[in-house]
Each structure stands twice: as structure tokens, then as C-alpha cells.
Amino acid sequence: MSILTILLNILLPPLAVLMKHGLGGKFIINLLLTILGWLPGVIHAFLVNNE
């Protein structure tokens, strides 16, 4: 995982997921989690982008 991906996972989790997986289910889930709370979005972004 690159430094850019790590920074985006922390600062803008939906953008990090969008860049790696495109506009799909993982992005929508991450967007909803980020809206509900920043920390769940960050955790999901790290889990999804670490695959």
C-alpha cells in the first residue's frame, strides 16, 4: 500500500476506495459508513484497499 493510499484512507476514505475499486458497491458502502461516522469509513477503506 502506497503512502498516497494510506493518506487518502485517513483523510478521504470514499475517494481512496473509488480510486482502487471504481464506482460500485464497495464505494457506496464506504460512502454511507463515512457519512454515519468518519472512523467506520476509515476502517472500511483500510480493509477494502488492503485486499
Side-chain angles (χ1 to χ4, degrees):
M1 194 179 308
S2 69
I3 299 293
L4 177 63
T5 306
I6 293 171
L7 286 174
L8 283 176
N9 281 340
I10 295 170
L11 299 175
L12 298 167
L15 181 60
V17 174
L18 178 69
M19 285 178 53
K20 178 135 185 184
H21 298 283
L23 211 67
K26 292 178 183 179
F27 171 75
I28 300 297
I29 291 171
N30 189 269
L31 185 63
L32 292 174
L33 285 172
T34 304
I35 289 170
L36 291 174
W38 172 76
L39 189 58
V42 171
I43 293 169
H44 181 261
F46 272 107
L47 291 174
V48 167
N49 285 336
N50 200 22
E51 291 178 343

